Amino acid sequence: MDKTTEDVYVQADQRETGIVLEAPSSVWGRILRKIELKSEVEAGRRSNPDLDPVPPEGRHWHAQHYALFWISDNVSVSGFRTASSIMDVGLSWRMSLLCVALANLLAGMVVTLNGIVGTDYHIPFSIQSRASFGYYLSYLMILMRCIVGIFWYGIQTYTGAECVQTMLYAIWPSFRNVPNTLPSSANINTQLMTAYVIYFVTMLPFHYVGIHKVKWLFLLKTVSTFVVGFGLMGWTINTVGVNNTSLFNQGNKVHGSGFTWVFLNSFYSNLGGFTTLMVNAPDYSRYAHRRRSTYITLFAVPFTATLVTFMGVVVAAGSNVMYGEILWDPLQVLDKWTSKGGRAAAFFCALSFYFSQLGLNIAANSLASANDMNAIWPKYINLRRGQFIAAFLGAWVLTPWNIMTSAPAFLNFMSGYSIWLGPLCGVLIADYFIVHRRKYDVNELYKFGGIYNYHWGCNWRAFAAFTIAWVPLLPGFIPTVTSGITASTGVTHLYDLGFFYGFGSAILCYSVICHFFPARETYVDAVYPDDNLDDTTNIEFVVSEEVHGEKLQAN
């Protein structure tokens, strides 16, 4: 870092804190100074280019890119498994598809709605949250979302390793016989650990590329996985047919009020997996060329989720006839293909699922976590660094193989995190559309101590609405993660309605509180990022006049 940039940082910190900072003398201080990002720092403002509003030249995502983005999120190994848990609790395959379709339709609506702030101001979720929660309280919300993203990054990496393992089985059948040299306490064998390392190493370069250049990955993933999905379904129907299988003949095993609550619980479970994407929708919509480009989400999300779920039902029904067991995981079906031609087909199918997991992990977890870390430590972390940090934390520090095999309570906990993210999303939407009526001052959002600092960096109105929305759901959530604890029927039913209550009550409570106790200093005319560009142009114009002594006129 040159002396000029160094002086800018020192002067900015002095203006921001009122403390005169000396040049670091410790080793740790010199390391921090070395890794500082070379970005402009102004008084009272913490940001870097990845956190700033996306400039016009970076807004090149069109409707087809968003369609591929969301399709690639659904067309995956986990998408094939979706119906399994729903049918296990007693619903027929038709009701399972209906449940998935409705859950994803609602998810698509909320993602599109919360993403509008990204299309208007081209800012990420981490900056949006400051307007609702305040400068410092927003850090708690950002950190909560970041931890969830890192966790699921590890889980999806584990699934990606399973794809690699299937490819290795197809290339070298002898790989199945590789002796295990790891102890049973490791909860993973040598074969899967080998595949895990291969998947992780081959995944890292994609984090270096950046969001602007990975659109082709979503295209590749979507096309190849759809071809594989339809191929698996067609092969199953051609081989055994599925009309008369027990899986397709299975009706609803629950009836009356029991059916209603099982359906709602399944609906809530499927919706819960989407709450992370609802919250950080602006992280992706900020790249939109125009607002209507993101509206395709309304159709892409429910249609593809339902279609892939149906593919999973067909393949599972056929596997019960062919192999005597219901295989919801398509990778387990591929492992059964041991002939020479079968192994070739298994390899290419598994390769497609490999790209599927890769795109899913980047779209849903890696970029989201990187954006969150970028907001917390903008002086040292940008999107590229954040993605690598999320990769190592999620894939190795959390050891997902231990979580997958020996911690079902923790998995239930992470599946129920929507009791917090649902209210969070509700506050964000209420603040933008109802309270501030889509009018933010984008400059103030980046200012430390600006109008969105509220009182001591905390908007008590948002905190109160957020708390009211999630606390009543806690008694129903605890029994799902703690053995030996039971909840009353009423409490359980409220938890089954968790998203509707949490999301809806957060919107209602925040809107009512802000009506009676408004933070009037935040009610301003809208200031957009492009307004700043105009100001910059004017400044440069004046400087040009002074330097060259030329009288110019702006068009």
Side-chain angles (χ1 to χ4, degrees):
M1 180 179 297
D2 58 36
K3 184 64 177 175
T4 302
T5 306
E6 182 175 304
D7 290 339
V8 169
Y9 276 118
V10 173
Q11 293 168 12
D13 287 339
Q14 291 173 3
R15 291 192 297 265
E16 188 171 300
T17 63
I19 301 174
V20 177
L21 301 178
E22 298 179 356
S25 58
S26 65
V27 175
W28 178 245
R30 288 195 293 270
I31 292 175
L32 288 179
R33 182 59 58 86
K34 188 68 176 178
I35 64 174
E36 285 179 357
L37 294 170
K38 296 182 180 180
S39 57
E40 183 181 358
V41 179
E42 301 172 356
R45 187 179 189 272
R46 298 190 183 107
S47 187
N48 61 46
D50 284 343
L51 195 60
D52 284 342
V54 177
E57 62 270 16
R59 305 169 196 168
H60 47 63
W61 281 45
H62 297 268
Q64 66 269 26
H65 300 126
Y66 284 101
L68 294 173
F69 182 90
W70 295 112
I71 291 172
S72 68
D73 190 67
N74 279 324
V75 186
S76 61
V77 174
S78 55
F80 272 77
R81 302 168 178 166
T82 302
S84 61
S85 59
I86 305 178
M87 297 186 70
D88 283 344
V89 296
L91 297 185
S92 68
W93 68 273
R94 292 183 178 86
M95 287 295 102
S96 297
L97 291 183
L98 179 62
C99 181
V100 171
L102 292 178
N104 281 270
L105 177 61
L106 179 58
M109 293 171 62
V110 177
V111 167
T112 303
L113 193 63
N114 194 39
I116 289 178
V117 66
T119 63
D120 287 347
Y121 293 90
H122 305 284
I123 56 176
F125 148 71
S126 52
I127 299 300
Q128 172 203 15
S129 63
R130 293 176 181 176
S132 308
F133 291 92
Y135 196 93
Y136 285 125
L137 183 58
S138 68
Y139 282 171
L140 176 61
M141 306 300 157
I142 294 168
L143 186 61
M144 180 168 57
R145 171 63 186 91
C146 182
I147 292 173
V148 170
I150 291 173
F151 168 84
W152 285 114
Y153 184 97
I155 299 301
Q156 296 296 345
T157 300
Y158 185 91
T159 304
E162 293 178 316
C163 297
V164 174
Q165 180 177 247
T166 297
M167 286 191 284
L168 293 176
Y169 287 160
I171 299 173
W172 298 290
S174 59
F175 186 72
R176 298 175 184 267
N177 303 320
V178 171
N180 179 35
T181 58
L182 298 176
S184 58
S185 59
N187 292 320
I188 188 172
N189 58 35
T190 301
Q191 296 173 359
L192 188 54
M193 178 56 77
T194 302
Y196 193 90
V197 172
I198 293 174
Y199 177 79
F200 181 77
V201 171
T202 56
M203 179 174 56
L204 289 180
F206 291 92
H207 295 326
Y208 187 84
V209 172
I211 183 65
H212 298 285
K213 300 178 181 178
V214 296
K215 292 181 293 185
W216 62 268
L217 175 61
F218 300 128
L219 173 62
L220 172 65
K221 173 186 181 309
T222 301
V223 173
S224 63
T225 313
F226 256 130
V227 170
V228 169
F230 279 111
L232 278 172
M233 184 172 65
W235 168 78
T236 302
I237 294 174
N238 182 66
T239 303
V240 299
V242 292
N243 290 330
N244 298 320
T245 64
S246 59
L247 197 63
F248 271 86
N249 291 331
Q250 174 184 318
N252 295 316
K253 297 180 181 178
V254 288
H255 305 279
S257 61
F259 167 83
T260 302
W261 290 110
V262 167
F263 186 90
L264 288 174
N265 180 266
S266 300
F267 181 93
Y268 173 63
S269 297
N270 278 274
L271 196 62
F274 239 102
T275 51
T276 55
L277 293 167
M278 296 177 193
V279 169
N280 70 290
D283 289 350
Y284 312 107
S285 63
R286 63 192 296 222
Y287 299 102
H289 180 66
R290 55 176 61 90
R291 183 191 303 159
R292 65 172 180 265
S293 299
T294 64
Y295 294 166
I296 191 67
T297 304
L298 290 168
F299 308 99
V301 171
F303 174 75
T304 55
T306 307
L307 178 59
V308 173
T309 301
F310 177 71
M311 291 177 180
V313 172
V314 172
V315 174
S319 68
N320 193 29
V321 176
M322 289 183 284
Y323 309 116
E325 57 180 329
I326 298 177
L327 300 177
W328 288 102
D329 189 337
L331 296 175
Q332 293 181 353
V333 175
L334 299 181
D335 288 340
K336 300 287 186 180
W337 298 355
T338 56
S339 66
K340 187 174 182 179
R343 287 192 289 110
F347 172 82
F348 287 106
C349 290
L351 179 63
S352 174
F353 286 126
Y354 163 89
F355 283 111
S356 169
Q357 288 304 123
L358 185 61
L360 175 60
N361 228 358
I362 291 176
N365 304 313
S366 173
L367 285 171
S369 299
N371 268 302
D372 297 336
M373 286 184 275
N374 187 19
I376 299 174
W377 299 286
K379 198 172 183 178
Y380 304 103
I381 298 178
N382 55 17
L383 285 183
R384 181 173 290 167
R385 292 181 182 181
Q387 286 191 82
F388 284 114
I389 293 172
F392 282 94
L393 289 178
W396 296 105
V397 176
L398 290 181
T399 60
W401 51 88
N402 287 319
I403 296 174
M404 295 292 287
T405 57
S406 60
F410 190 59
L411 283 173
N412 289 335
F413 172 81
M414 296 307 298
S415 297
Y417 59 77
S418 56
I419 71 169
W420 292 283
L421 295 188
L424 170 57
C425 188
V427 170
L428 295 175
I429 288 178
D431 184 80
Y432 187 60
F433 289 98
I434 300 175
V435 176
H436 285 103
R437 300 184 183 277
R438 293 176 54 192
K439 294 180 180 180
Y440 286 161
D441 185 333
V442 72
N443 295 327
E444 293 290 328
L445 285 172
Y446 286 86
K447 284 184 179 179
F448 170 79
I451 62 174
Y452 300 109
N453 197 54
Y454 296 95
H455 186 67
W456 298 103
C458 173
N459 183 8
W460 66 268
R461 305 160 189 83
F463 182 78
F466 176 74
T467 303
I468 292 171
W470 72 262
V471 168
L473 299 174
L474 193 61
F477 169 69
I478 292 176
T480 65
V481 297
T482 306
S483 58
I485 297 180
T486 57
S488 64
T489 303
V491 169
T492 302
H493 287 171
L494 179 61
Y495 179 70
D496 291 338
L497 294 171
F499 180 82
F500 297 102
Y501 170 79
F503 180 74
S505 62
I507 292 178
L508 178 62
C509 292
Y510 185 70
S511 302
V512 171
I513 293 173
C514 289
H515 176 75
F516 289 102
F517 305 96
R520 297 194 182 280
E521 69 276 10
T522 66
Y523 295 173
V524 296
D525 291 333
V527 177
Y528 298 97
D530 293 350
D531 297 338
N532 297 335
L533 294 178
D534 293 338
D535 293 340
T536 302
T537 302
N538 293 333
I539 292 173
E540 292 177 349
F541 166 73
V542 173
V543 172
S544 178
E545 282 186 331
E546 293 177 351
V547 173
H548 299 287
E550 297 175 355
K551 187 173 182 179
L552 305 175
Q553 266 189 339
N555 292 329

